[in-house]
Amino acid sequence: MKPYYFDEIIQSLENFWTKNAGCILLSSYDAEVGAGTLAPFTALECIKRPRWNVCYPQYCRRPTDGRFGENPNRLSAYFQFQVILKPSPSNARELYLKSLEEFGISNQTHDIRFLEDDWENPSI
């Protein structure tokens, strides 16, 4: 597998989602959002728009998680690549798997599973 630089992965994902799902490409919103799901483009725009196909790398700052403690892998900042497809297309899973193949992650060689998540956030 060819090694990829971080910016190559981001560009690959941006190109894939704009081309294959008609997403608008946005820039990251810089604020202490904790996770990409709490960014304004995700949380607020999804509520007010009946149709919203966007993709963007979301920079997430969580200063309170920057303490090392027992886990030296805890960082206070990271990126999430957000893709919002509203309404959700019937082939969303296939699109996701194809987006991973763009930079060498194959469903045939990697154990990729889809699990239900009941995550809730009462603040939004």
Side-chain angles (χ1 to χ4, degrees):
M1 188 170 131
K2 169 189 176 294
Y4 287 87
Y5 291 102
F6 180 74
D7 61 336
E8 290 176 316
I9 293 171
I10 297 298
Q11 288 173 347
S12 174
L13 289 169
E14 290 172 346
N15 291 337
F16 178 86
W17 289 104
T18 56
K19 178 182 169 188
N20 294 289
C23 287
I24 298 167
L25 176 60
L26 301 174
S27 296
S28 182
Y29 182 86
D30 185 21
E32 290 182 19
V33 295
T37 51
L38 298 177
F41 297 142
T42 308
L44 300 176
E45 294 297 330
C46 282
I47 292 169
K48 72 179 189 180
R49 295 178 186 259
R51 302 186 72 75
W52 185 234
N53 283 8
V54 297
C55 64
Y56 57 98
Q58 178 59 50
Y59 180 65
C60 301
R61 283 190 286 132
R62 298 178 70 162
T64 57
D65 280 358
R67 59 194 184 278
F68 288 103
E70 296 176 16
N71 185 352
N73 297 316
R74 291 180 79 177
L75 303 174
S76 62
Y78 55 94
F79 280 88
Q80 285 180 240
F81 193 83
Q82 294 291 112
V83 177
I84 301 165
L85 304 174
K86 184 182 176 184
S88 180
S90 61
N91 65 338
R93 287 184 181 196
E94 289 80 14
L95 283 170
Y96 171 71
L97 293 171
K98 286 181 183 177
S99 76
L100 295 178
E101 290 174 5
E102 290 292 306
F103 53 94
I105 297 177
S106 168
N107 192 27
Q108 303 302 315
T109 52
H110 294 86
D111 186 14
I112 299 172
R113 300 175 190 194
F114 295 94
L115 304 173
E116 183 177 344
D117 185 2
D118 292 2
W119 180 81
E120 292 182 14
N121 187 338
S123 64
I124 60 168

